[in-house]
Amino acid sequence: MKGKETSVKKIDARGLSCPQPVIMAKRGIEEISKGESVEILVDTDTARENVARLAMSLGCQTDVRESQEGYVINISKK
């Protein structure tokens, strides 16, 4: 039985200062197709805000949650 595989692309941008997480997120968003998502890991408030702002400006849906290591930003292309 073959099912559609739904793998989420993950990008670890923890420990990097801006604009590096934003650049990595932009690349990740460009690599996914409509209906797919990418997960960005960041560890600062500034990176979280900037990556979320980028995603929204590109018309993507974002879901941000706090984790022990910082923040997990799930970005989906509509």
Side-chain angles (χ1 to χ4, degrees):
M1 173 165 60
K2 288 185 179 181
K4 187 173 182 180
E5 200 173 305
T6 56
S7 64
V8 176
K9 179 176 179 63
K10 295 186 182 203
I11 297 172
D12 189 349
R14 293 174 294 182
L16 301 173
S17 53
C18 280
Q20 212 64 44
V22 175
I23 293 167
M24 292 171 75
K26 187 172 189 301
R27 251 185 232 135
I29 293 167
E30 290 169 349
E31 291 174 4
I32 60 173
S33 301
K34 196 173 186 176
E36 294 181 332
S37 61
V38 62
E39 195 172 86
I40 317 289
L41 307 173
V42 296
D43 57 0
T44 66
D45 291 337
T46 303
R48 173 185 52 92
E49 290 168 15
N50 291 341
V51 169
R53 192 176 304 123
L54 166 76
M56 286 187 279
S57 75
L58 295 174
C60 297
Q61 182 178 347
T62 61
D63 174 47
V64 180
R65 65 184 189 279
E66 213 166 333
S67 74
Q68 289 180 338
E69 297 86 24
Y71 300 96
V72 178
I73 307 166
N74 190 287
I75 301 170
S76 304
K77 253 189 191 177
K78 292 182 180 183

